[in-house]
């Protein structure tokens, strides 16, 4: 069975240099707790600091102190959103927190849980799923502070949202924008300062870094943002995410960040050429195919397609080794149909024949075109 791995939005494999760095920092001559005060601990702390700088540089944060290590984007999102709501609730600051309907479940489920938790709180209002087409105002009730949550790139369709435009449409100067950057970092340039986002989150395994490590970015510019910690312990990560640090994961993520930074232009061109070849060939072989979000700016590697039913069936039958996702990996894991595609107005029957192809570093034009040949050559109906 030939394996075709076109599921890099679900997870993409680490760079060789990342694996080498993780190995290096897993061996006894380097291994130590970065919080320890002895010589080995100090060396480990220096490596963590270097990684923090590499990551801050990649996303153009103002300082490495704005980088908080977590286990992944899901944890970072929960820490940022719940931590902020807790602090604002305790200080009785009238606040409105809103997210869009097509956000990843890491945001959507978190906001829904928070809505239940705070529904009797006089000062905290939560709107977990605003329609993408919403054009009204959230922030017209002074002095309510608004925290708007908007992802930079949609994990299923690959659509890249115009955050500066969203900020100018919905937010006042003093309001905060939280962005889930999980699909964007590593695939498009991300500058948190240019985008004017105050909090963000992403995972190592989506950008060629390790799994099990992720980042909460939180601006520390004035007026200084703060959050409550959700867990309590030894005071690591400025007391906001305590617990011994994942040394190999952090060093590996730092190396990935540096590689992404220096290779991004070439990487984007490679991904775009693979996707272009894929979509051109697919249109020839399956003239009725539809590409979602194709009229919008998209991630360079993502193509979400609706296939006619007989083509979808043949593809599945002919290519048992094809790794693509129907909806998002998380939606597939929970057995639920994609809420993103439903929010786009697709019917269940269409969702059932919608596939996300997401390409990565090890894919090639030859691989995607030969895969399509095997899947669809000679089908007529
Ligand atoms: N946000 C988006 C847009 C994602 O695509 C994902 C993963 O699929 C996540 C958040 C959650 O990332 P993780 O599972 O690494 O915590």
């Amino acid at each position: 069975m030939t394996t075709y791995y076109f599921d890099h939005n679900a997870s993409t494999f680490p760079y060789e240099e990342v694996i080498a760095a993780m190995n290096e920092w897993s061996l006894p001559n380097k291994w130590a707790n970065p919080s320890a005060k002895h010589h080995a601990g100090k060396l480990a702390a220096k490596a963590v600091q270097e990684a923090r700088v590499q990551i801050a540089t990649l996303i153009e944060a103002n300082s490495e102190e704005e980088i908080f290590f977590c286990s992944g984007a899901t944890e970072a999102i929960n820490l940022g959103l719940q931590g902020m709501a807790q602090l604002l609730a305790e200080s009785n600051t009238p606040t409105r927190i809103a997210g869009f309907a097509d956000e990843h479940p890491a945001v959507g489920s978190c906001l829904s849980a928070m809505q239940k938790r705070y529904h009797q709180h006089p000062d905290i209002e939560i709107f977990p799923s605003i329609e993408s087409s919403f054009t009204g105002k959230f922030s017209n009730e002074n002095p309510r502070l608004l925290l708007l949550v908007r992802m930079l790139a949609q994990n299923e369709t690959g659509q890249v949202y115009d955050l500066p435009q969203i900020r100018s449409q919905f937010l006042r100067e003093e309001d905060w924008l939280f962005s889930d950057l999980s699909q964007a970092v590593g695939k498009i340039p991300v500058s948190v300062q240019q985008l004017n986002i105050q909090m963000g989150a992403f995972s190592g395994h989506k950008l060629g870094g390790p799994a099990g490590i992720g980042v909460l970015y939180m601006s520390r510019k004035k007026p200084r943002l703060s959050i409550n910690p959700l867990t309590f312990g030894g005071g690591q990560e400025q007391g906001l995410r305590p617990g011994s640090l994942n040394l190999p994961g952090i060093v590996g993520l730092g190396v990935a960040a540096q590689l992404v930074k220096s290779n991004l232009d070439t990487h984007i061109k490679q991904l775009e050429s693979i996707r272009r070849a894929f979509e051109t060939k697919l249109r020839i072989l399956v003239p009725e195919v539809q590409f979602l979000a194709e009229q919008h700016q998209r991630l360079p590697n993502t193509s979400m397609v609706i296939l006619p039913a007989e083509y979808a069936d043949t593809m599945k039958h002919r290519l048992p080794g094809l790794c693509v996702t129907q909806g998002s990996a998380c939606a597939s894991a929970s057995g639920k149909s994609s809420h993103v595609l439903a929010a786009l107005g697709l019917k269940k029957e269409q969702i059932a024949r919608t596939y996300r192809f997401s390409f990565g570093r090890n894919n090639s034009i030859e691989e995607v075109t030969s895969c399509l040949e095997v899947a669809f050559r000679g089908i007529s109906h």
Side-chain angles (χ1 to χ4, degrees):
M1 180 176 81
T2 309
T3 297
Y4 295 102
Y5 188 83
F6 303 142
D7 201 15
H8 291 267
N9 284 9
S11 197
T12 195
F13 59 98
Y15 285 96
E16 273 173 32
E17 294 90 331
V18 168
I19 298 170
M22 291 177 71
N23 280 338
E24 185 188 333
W25 285 92
S26 300
L27 293 173
N29 62 333
K30 293 268 176 102
W31 187 264
N33 189 327
S35 303
K37 295 295 164 228
H38 48 63
H39 169 70
K42 284 184 184 155
L43 280 181
K46 201 164 161 244
V48 168
Q49 172 66 3
E50 194 183 330
R52 222 183 274 285
V53 171
Q54 287 164 324
I55 294 158
T57 307
L58 174 65
I59 61 167
E60 298 186 358
N62 200 36
S63 131
E64 68 275 13
E65 284 174 18
E66 299 180 329
I67 304 299
F68 297 83
F69 290 114
C70 297
S71 64
T74 302
E75 187 195 337
I77 290 165
N78 276 268
L79 174 58
L81 294 179
Q82 294 192 50
M84 172 159 277
Q86 267 192 26
L87 186 84
L88 295 166
E90 276 173 20
S91 56
N92 291 329
T93 309
T95 306
R96 183 170 280 185
I97 302 179
F100 286 88
D102 64 338
E103 294 290 317
H104 187 276
V107 167
S109 305
C110 177
L111 289 180
S112 300
M114 285 164 58
Q115 187 186 39
K116 283 197 194 115
R117 185 174 305 157
Y118 291 110
H119 96 112
Q120 290 193 323
H121 194 289
D123 294 309
I124 307 289
E125 267 187 315
I126 309 219
F127 297 87
S129 55
I130 292 154
E131 293 298 318
S132 297
S133 53
F134 181 81
T135 51
K137 275 252 168 275
F138 305 116
S139 55
N140 45 4
E141 281 162 55
N142 271 329
R144 241 174 223 284
L145 175 74
L146 180 70
L147 173 68
L148 184 64
V149 189
R150 193 51 170 143
M151 63 193 349
L152 179 51
Q154 218 301 317
N155 47 301
E156 297 189 30
T157 62
Q159 182 172 344
V160 176
Y161 293 113
D162 185 345
L163 296 187
Q165 189 271 325
I166 288 171
R167 172 170 269 286
S168 67
Q169 183 177 357
F170 295 118
L171 302 184
R172 299 159 304 185
E173 180 78 24
E174 66 272 26
D175 292 328
W176 291 327
L177 187 56
F178 183 117
S179 186
D180 178 357
L181 305 170
S182 304
Q183 292 296 341
V185 178
K187 302 190 190 103
I188 54 174
V190 174
S191 164
V192 290
Q193 295 199 66
Q194 272 182 31
L195 292 169
N196 195 2
I197 63 176
Q198 284 62 53
M199 281 209 256
F202 55 95
S203 270
H205 70 106
K206 307 273 189 195
L207 60 116
I213 187 80
V215 165
L216 173 69
Y217 154 76
M218 180 164 63
S219 167
R220 310 249 83 187
K221 277 191 189 158
K222 300 245 160 36
R224 214 173 146 96
L225 278 185
S226 201
I227 55 174
N228 273 3
L230 303 184
T231 49
F232 298 88
Q236 291 90 345
E237 299 306 270
Q238 302 174 47
L240 297 182
R241 203 283 191 173
S244 297
L245 294 178
N246 170 356
L247 176 64
I250 290 171
V251 173
L253 182 54
V255 172
Q258 197 180 33
L259 289 166
V260 166
K261 182 97 188 154
S262 45
N263 298 328
L264 192 58
D265 288 348
T266 323
H267 186 48
I268 291 174
K269 286 197 185 98
Q270 182 209 359
L271 294 173
E272 278 173 344
S273 67
I274 294 172
R275 187 190 46 200
R276 198 174 313 115
F278 169 81
E279 293 190 345
T280 307
K281 182 89 181 170
L282 188 55
R283 257 187 247 275
I284 295 170
L285 291 167
V286 186
E288 304 91 331
V289 66
Q290 282 173 265
F291 297 99
L292 291 178
E294 113 180 278
Q295 68 283 24
H296 297 290
Q297 192 196 337
R298 282 182 297 168
L299 291 173
N301 76 322
T302 307
S303 187
M304 186 98 181
V305 304
I306 311 183
L307 295 170
E310 64 276 30
Y311 284 88
D313 292 344
T314 311
M315 180 178 81
K316 277 194 276 189
H317 177 70
R318 288 189 185 175
L319 294 175
L322 178 65
C323 302
V324 293
T325 297
Q326 281 196 273
S328 71
C330 300
S332 308
S334 63
K336 285 192 204 139
S337 173
S338 161
H339 69 289
V340 174
L341 301 180
L344 283 177
L346 266 66
K347 298 190 197 80
K348 268 206 169 135
E349 171 282 318
Q350 286 175 302
I351 295 176
R353 46 193 178 83
T354 302
Y355 295 85
R356 178 187 69 187
F357 289 75
S358 54
F359 306 108
R361 302 195 309 282
N362 65 329
N363 297 136
S364 66
I365 291 181
E366 295 68 37
E367 186 187 14
V368 296
T369 50
S370 74
C371 165
L372 291 177
E373 286 281 345
V374 176
F376 301 121
R377 177 58 72 203
I379 307 184
S380 57
H381 62 103

